[in-house]
Amino acid sequence: MAPINSFMGKFAETAFALSASTERNYHCMESRLPRSSMAINGVSHKTSSSPDISSISLSDMCQMFRATPTDLLYLSSQTGGERGVCIYSSIEKGDVILSIPISSCFRDDEPPKWFEGDDDGGDDHDINRYNPSGWASRLAAILLDHEFSNKNSADLLDSLEIGRETWKSMLPDRNILRASLPVHWSEEFLSNTKCTALELAVDSAYFARANAVMQLQEELKQALFEEENVDDDFLRQKCGDALDIVQTRTCRVERTCEDGAQWGPPLRILAPIFDFINHGSMRNPGTGGANAAFGVEGAKMSDMNNANLVVRAIRDIEEGEEILFDYGDSARPAWRCLSSYGFVPDFLASVETGDDDVAIENVAELWMNGLRFDVDPESVPYDLVEVAAAQALLDGESNDEDEEKYGLLTPGVARSIARRATDSAYRLLLEPGINASIDNEDEESPETIHSESLAASLRWSQYSVLLSFAENLERFSFQAQQNEAEKA
């Protein structure tokens, strides 16, 4: 719970309303760790349908991908069926948890020759020919090329190739992954989240994603034309699946030297093993918060070939503890995390950053007088206060003396907003009706259950935000009245 002075101070400095707009899902996964020279795109396995991990050794995978150390990490099934990366032995702050060569990863500046007419035989890493905006499609093309290419016996004996095949076998079930991403949801499921911002984000993403699938399908079909007779629907499905993997697992790194000088556009990579690490907020100092951070080490001017993606502990970590790092602004607020990665993060009751430029951790929408406002527990949108104050004036509940003391956010106005927030919170607990047009088989499918569960989780997150917001307003109002009573 935020202290009263913090709540009042934020309003006094600059109360604000958050924008409901967002960028395209697989174009907005830009930032995870503000403390690092890089940012990351999605790496979560928040699903109960991951393959059986009992016979899979991360030690063997580390050797296949030339990652170090090879004997520290293991996969573990967490509470709720989630998969996480844990450590065999305790480590100290600053120790290396994982270091994987970028050359062992899928990188978006190495697209197949068939994609976007890239058949001139030039340098794969020529940044002058590199279009940063097309990274998602390029990475998806790399995955598709890897799947459809004809591998000879030498390829199948290569340890890196074996590692990539092992990594692919460990990816989530495609149907559950699709069910995790709101861009694939029906209008009914989106409506059940009770989150207008998410609906707007999906509307923005839908056609951009459809165009990306169409481009991939057309170019892949041309590349396969002389070799295989492949059904269009099958190709479309494969292209969509590749984009889903890219959206939820891609890492963005900056092309910088050791002195911090940037020499090229950001590079996006799919880093196996690294992408198994789950999200933990850097703003959560307790259990479930980030205990690791990452960056690129060993990069030289115009050369990323010998660089490594390195994860280091940011505090001492005990044996058996799960490794977590912060997915950054693309994982906050909760609706954006769901849109980007397909899971709803845990609600943090009180988070203060002290930085107005940092994305708000917890947000919920609140309607008043036909207008929608995005609120968080630590501050009040100024426009919302204006609307509530105007309503109080119309209802004859305005107090000129209080306005002189407190401005528009008087104790009475604060209580009225708190009542509205509380009412809105409890309405989120009402179970949305199931559309009778959905047949019983679809209604009971694992995919439907998974999507409904995520929608319910987002409603619960917004419920928690609204109650915390209302409680802070009530505390502000009560403290203001106490102060007046003491003066009297």
Side-chain angles (χ1 to χ4, degrees):
M1 177 55 56
I4 293 298
N5 59 355
S6 169
F7 187 80
M8 296 173 64
K10 284 204 173 191
F11 177 78
E13 292 172 6
T14 171
F16 57 91
L18 300 175
S19 170
S21 64
T22 185
E23 298 179 42
R24 164 71 181 96
N25 286 351
Y26 57 77
H27 286 231
C28 73
M29 300 180 290
E30 295 295 327
S31 133
R32 286 186 180 173
L33 295 176
R35 300 183 187 181
S36 173
S37 62
M38 55 181 278
I40 191 161
N41 301 323
V43 207
S44 178
H45 277 268
K46 300 276 183 175
T47 172
S48 61
S49 63
S50 299
D52 178 24
I53 62 175
S54 59
S55 62
I56 297 175
S57 166
L58 284 191
S59 176
D60 292 340
M61 289 192 67
C62 284
Q63 294 179 49
M64 295 172 188
F65 287 101
R66 300 189 293 276
T68 57
T70 61
D71 57 355
L72 180 63
L73 305 178
Y74 68 94
L75 284 174
S76 173
S77 294
Q78 306 298 309
T79 303
E82 299 168 3
R83 182 170 63 186
V85 175
C86 300
I87 56 174
Y88 280 119
S89 57
S90 300
I91 58 175
E92 297 180 351
K93 179 179 179 180
D95 286 351
V96 172
I97 298 171
L98 176 69
S99 176
I100 181 170
I102 288 181
S103 59
S104 293
C105 307
F106 299 100
R107 43 191 291 180
D108 81 310
D109 62 350
E110 296 178 337
K113 297 300 182 182
W114 53 264
F115 185 67
E116 293 184 332
D118 188 13
D119 57 1
D120 60 4
D123 180 6
D124 284 341
H125 304 150
D126 182 2
I127 62 173
N128 294 319
R129 301 187 302 116
Y130 181 83
N131 176 16
S133 65
W135 64 266
S137 294
R138 286 195 301 275
L139 274 174
I142 293 170
L143 293 181
L144 291 166
D145 188 70
H146 186 265
E147 178 169 354
F148 284 95
S149 61
N150 294 319
K151 299 178 178 63
N152 57 41
S153 57
D155 291 330
L156 297 176
L157 292 175
D158 179 77
S159 62
L160 180 57
E161 190 60 41
I162 295 174
R164 287 176 171 178
E165 291 297 323
T166 303
W167 171 77
K168 285 167 58 178
S169 73
M170 298 169 67
L171 296 178
D173 174 80
R174 66 167 300 273
N175 292 322
I176 293 296
L177 180 57
R178 284 179 60 84
S180 301
L181 297 173
V183 72
H184 299 304
W185 289 3
S186 67
E187 291 185 7
E188 181 187 26
F189 283 136
L190 283 173
S191 176
N192 285 351
T193 65
K194 307 300 181 184
C195 181
T196 305
L198 177 63
E199 294 186 56
L200 292 172
V202 170
D203 287 344
S204 175
Y206 183 82
F207 291 105
R209 191 181 190 284
N211 288 334
V213 170
M214 184 182 302
Q215 179 195 13
L216 283 166
Q217 180 185 352
E218 290 177 351
E219 299 201 27
L220 179 59
K221 186 175 182 179
Q222 291 180 9
L224 296 175
F225 180 77
E226 296 180 355
E227 302 176 15
E228 301 181 43
N229 183 19
V230 183
D231 180 72
D232 284 346
D233 290 339
F234 175 76
L235 283 184
R236 188 179 305 110
Q237 172 188 307
K238 288 295 183 180
C239 292
D241 292 347
L243 283 172
D244 288 343
I245 293 170
V246 168
Q247 173 177 330
T248 54
R249 313 185 77 81
T250 300
C251 171
R252 174 190 178 214
V253 297
E254 301 293 343
R255 300 178 196 253
T256 58
C257 303
E258 293 184 356
D259 61 1
Q262 185 168 347
W263 53 266
L267 176 69
R268 274 76 172 191
I269 60 177
L270 278 168
I273 306 173
F274 171 82
D275 68 339
F276 295 155
I277 300 176
N278 284 324
H279 168 71
S281 177
M282 188 72 77
R283 304 171 191 179
N284 178 10
T287 303
N291 54 22
F294 63 90
V296 173
E297 299 181 10
K300 299 179 181 179
M301 181 68 73
S302 302
D303 183 11
M304 296 282 284
N305 292 328
N306 296 319
N308 281 24
L309 181 61
V310 180
V311 181
R312 291 184 181 273
I314 59 174
R315 63 168 174 80
D316 294 349
I317 305 176
E318 298 300 320
E319 175 184 345
E321 192 173 346
E322 183 182 4
I323 302 302
L324 301 168
F325 52 63
D326 196 312
Y327 288 13
D329 291 349
S330 54
R332 53 180 63 92
W335 68 261
R336 181 173 285 119
C337 186
L338 176 58
S339 176
S340 298
Y341 306 123
F343 72 93
V344 178
D346 295 334
F347 170 73
L348 300 181
S350 179
V351 178
E352 295 186 63
T353 66
D355 186 349
D356 291 336
D357 294 329
V358 175
I360 303 299
E361 188 87 17
N362 306 301
V363 171
E365 64 181 40
L366 177 64
W367 291 84
M368 179 170 280
N369 290 7
L371 299 174
R372 184 178 70 86
F373 303 92
D374 287 333
V375 301
D376 73 88
E378 310 298 334
S379 60
V380 187
Y382 185 78
D383 291 347
L384 172 59
V385 176
E386 287 186 319
V387 170
Q391 186 63 51
L393 180 63
L394 291 174
D395 295 340
E397 299 177 356
S398 178
N399 187 313
D400 292 339
E401 183 177 345
D402 279 352
E403 286 191 11
E404 290 181 3
K405 294 178 181 177
Y406 302 104
L408 290 180
L409 186 60
T410 64
V413 169
R415 287 194 300 271
S416 69
I417 297 175
R419 287 194 299 271
R420 177 58 62 96
T422 301
D423 290 343
S424 297
Y426 284 112
R427 281 197 296 270
L428 286 170
L429 295 183
L430 300 178
E431 187 70 23
I434 298 297
N435 191 322
S437 64
I438 300 179
D439 60 43
N440 291 333
E441 182 178 348
D442 288 342
E443 201 172 299
E444 298 174 357
S445 70
E447 295 80 13
T448 298
I449 293 172
H450 189 63
S451 297
E452 288 179 342
S453 175
L454 288 170
S457 295
L458 185 58
R459 291 197 305 274
W460 180 261
S461 175
Q462 294 184 94
Y463 162 83
S464 302
V465 170
L466 287 172
L467 280 191
S468 183
F469 173 72
E471 188 173 347
N472 271 337
L473 281 168
E474 292 285 5
R475 291 181 64 190
F476 160 72
S477 177
F478 177 77
Q479 186 66 55
Q481 291 177 324
Q482 287 287 97
N483 292 341
E484 289 300 315
E486 292 175 0
K487 291 179 181 178

